[in-house]
Structure formats: C-alpha cells, structure tokens
Amino acid sequence: MKKFLTGCLLLLPAFLQAQEKLPKGIEHVIVIGVDGMSPDGIRQAKTPVMHNLIAHGAVKWNVRTVLPSSSSPNWASMIMGAGPEQHGITDNDWQRDKHTLPPVVANEEGIFPTIFGVLHQQYPKANIGAVYHWDDFGRLFEKKAVSHDRRFSTEDSTATDFIQYLRAEKPFFAFVHFDHVDHAGHEYGHGSPLYYQAVAKTDSLIGRIMESIPAHTLVIITADHGGKGKSHGGATPEEAEIAMIFSGQDVKPGYVITQPVYTYDLAATIAFALHAQPPYAWIGRPVKSAFAGFSEPQN
C-alpha cells in the first residue's frame, strides 16, 4: 500500500498538468518587439494597423516593466519569465562573461533559461527563430535553441528577412526586434514629431508582417520600456509602462485586460499558448484573460 501511495504522489503533478485548461487552436506564436515604444506613441502616432489589431484583439495598456526601465533587463525578463533578481541582467553592460550577479539557475550556455530554450527542449524538432535590429538582443537567448538567427542594421532589412522567414518556414515560435523607435526617442525625444513618425513606421512594418503569418497564429506586440524626454531607465510611468497587444488565434476580440501584467509574464504566456511546461525558476504567469474562455483572476 505504501509503494502504491508513493507512486500516486509522483504521478500527481503530471496528472494536474494534463488537466489544466489550455488554449486549443494556437499552432504558432510570433512576438513583435519594438524597443522604446510607449503607449503614448501607439495612441498619438498614425498607427492604423495596431489600432485595428487592438479593436479585434486584446490589449493591456499599462504593463509594468522591471527596473531599471532599460533594454537588456526588460528584454531578458520578457524571454526569461523572471526579473533581474533571478536572471542577473541588471543593466545594458551585462555580458555572459562579465556581470556582477549570477543567475539563480543557469543552463548549459551559462544563462537563465529562456522561452527559446524551453521550447527547443520540449519540442526539439520545432522551427524557432529570432531576427533582430539591436545586436545585443542576440546575447540574451540560447544560440543552440534557434534554427534562424539573424541581425540587421536597419528596421527595413530586419522586417524583410523576418517576412521571408515566416513565409518559407512557418516557424513554431519566432521573435522579431526593432530598434529604430528607441533611436528616435534618444535623438529627438519621446513625444516629439519624429518619435511619432518612427512609431508610425513600425506600424507599417507590422502591417507587412501580418500579411505573412501562417494560420492559427498568436501574435503579441510589445515593448521593453517607454521614455521621458530623451532618456529612460527611471521609475516613472512614462518610462516603466508599456503596452502589450494580443491578436489572432484564440484571442478575445475587442478586450481590454484588467489584471496586472509585468514584462516577465510574456514568456509564461507563450509557454501557456504552446502547451509548454515553464521552468520552476520562472516567476511570470500567463496572461490567461487575453484568451477566449478564460476570465480575469477572481482575487
């Protein structure tokens, strides 16, 4: 009897996972990351594509970033499902071989586990890719996990390669990163006409990407931080709040998410959508209320 009960207890986590309610129809996830794009930028610039996606999808207008509200800590948090306290990426100077705070757990590449590595481990034959405008984004994920890894010097060449990749491979999971909006914020100032022009350019690129996504795809549009004046990194709403847009398969139409959402919830949401088991070290939780059939948390 004792051996029988022990066996039942060992099987219980797998049984509970099998019973968890999950989205049913998502076959691909595409993340479009726009460095430095604030909610104000989306609202004030000419962004008909994003506004159409919001009207037919779900949006959270005030996703809270981690601090500092800088690029490396937040892009890392988004793909690592945890904050700087866990993954150790506390500033933009972080390098794999040069940092002050080690990750609480590390994979074979010496970094905290990302959604790229988690999906590759659980779906080893899946096509996973990243195309990015900012070179340092490439140091944040497991190189062995991706079959398509490209960096380009302009937003246009980044979009062109990503679109070609989507059409040719129909990846299971893919991430594209654009950096030109952040450049405009630093050079001209957040809220300036040229900043809004850069956001409008992003909107047109997103429109091109949306024409190329495969069927049954969840698309998530997000940013890493906002800005104030010509900088960011501080603890103000302008710097530390971003918007997150959900569109496509299984997403509620015309829905405004009310539950608190943090940048590190992105990885957990991707894992949830693709039925992957998140690592225990992650602290992020899936944004379930964005999906049809799921309610806001009761408490």
Side-chain angles (χ1 to χ4, degrees):
M1 178 61 72
K2 185 177 180 180
K3 290 183 179 179
F4 173 76
L5 291 175
T6 301
C8 289
L9 288 173
L10 290 172
L11 289 171
L12 186 59
F15 172 78
L16 292 175
Q17 181 185 348
Q19 296 301 306
E20 182 185 7
K21 183 181 178 184
L22 296 166
K24 299 295 184 183
I26 299 171
E27 298 178 5
H28 315 267
V29 174
I30 303 300
V31 176
I32 302 172
V34 187
D35 209 298
M37 184 171 68
S38 66
D40 172 75
I42 298 172
R43 287 186 167 118
Q44 300 300 327
K46 294 181 180 179
T47 54
V49 174
M50 281 188 275
H51 275 85
N52 182 63
L53 295 175
I54 291 168
H56 294 89
V59 65
K60 177 68 177 178
W61 282 108
N62 58 336
V63 175
R64 181 63 58 88
T65 74
V66 300
L67 296 177
S69 53
S70 302
S71 294
S72 289
N74 276 283
W75 289 124
S77 296
M78 280 188 276
I79 64 175
M80 292 178 175
E85 299 87 352
Q86 290 80 38
H87 57 60
I89 301 173
T90 58
D91 54 41
N92 281 343
D93 293 330
W94 179 92
Q95 297 295 333
R96 293 191 181 195
D97 58 354
K98 186 181 179 181
H99 52 266
T100 58
L101 184 66
V104 294
V105 297
N107 55 30
E108 62 178 3
E109 294 192 24
I111 61 173
F112 195 85
T114 80
I115 186 62
F116 291 89
V118 167
L119 292 177
H120 176 66
Q121 184 181 42
Q122 297 180 33
Y123 300 97
K125 295 183 179 180
N127 191 298
I128 298 170
V131 182
Y132 40 99
H133 187 183
W134 181 47
D135 188 42
D136 275 347
F137 182 80
R139 77 200 198 286
L140 300 176
F141 60 86
E142 300 92 341
K143 293 298 186 178
K144 294 181 179 179
V146 296
S147 50
H148 187 87
D149 182 358
R150 301 285 190 274
R151 188 262 171 179
F152 293 90
S153 59
T154 69
E155 65 271 23
D156 293 286
S157 55
T158 301
T160 296
D161 183 85
F162 191 67
I163 289 167
Q164 292 172 348
Y165 171 54
L166 292 180
R167 291 174 176 172
E169 302 295 342
K170 296 179 173 56
F172 183 60
F173 171 63
F175 198 114
V176 62
H177 171 280
F178 294 111
D179 205 26
H180 63 290
V181 173
D182 188 58
H183 291 173
H186 285 297
E187 186 170 355
Y188 307 111
H190 286 260
S192 67
L194 288 174
Y195 174 81
Y196 291 142
Q197 184 176 318
V199 175
K201 174 68 174 296
T202 299
D203 193 69
S204 67
L205 297 176
I206 292 172
R208 291 175 54 199
I209 291 170
M210 294 302 297
E211 294 174 355
S212 303
I213 62 169
H216 311 296
T217 294
L218 166 67
V219 176
I220 304 174
I221 301 169
T222 188
D224 55 339
H225 56 73
K228 193 173 184 179
K230 294 184 177 182
S231 65
H232 57 82
T236 66
E238 293 86 353
E239 297 164 278
E241 288 186 351
I242 55 103
M244 196 172 288
I245 302 168
F246 300 82
S247 178
Q249 185 69 39
D250 290 355
V251 175
K252 292 177 183 173
Y255 187 73
V256 178
I257 298 160
T258 62
Q259 72 176 78
V261 179
Y262 313 95
T263 50
Y264 50 69
D265 291 332
L266 177 67
T269 304
I270 297 166
F272 174 72
L274 294 174
H275 302 190
Q277 179 70 17
Y280 182 79
W282 285 9
I283 64 171
R285 295 176 292 185
V287 187
K288 294 183 180 181
S289 60
F291 300 96
F294 294 86
S295 302
E296 298 283 350
Q298 292 184 355
N299 62 339

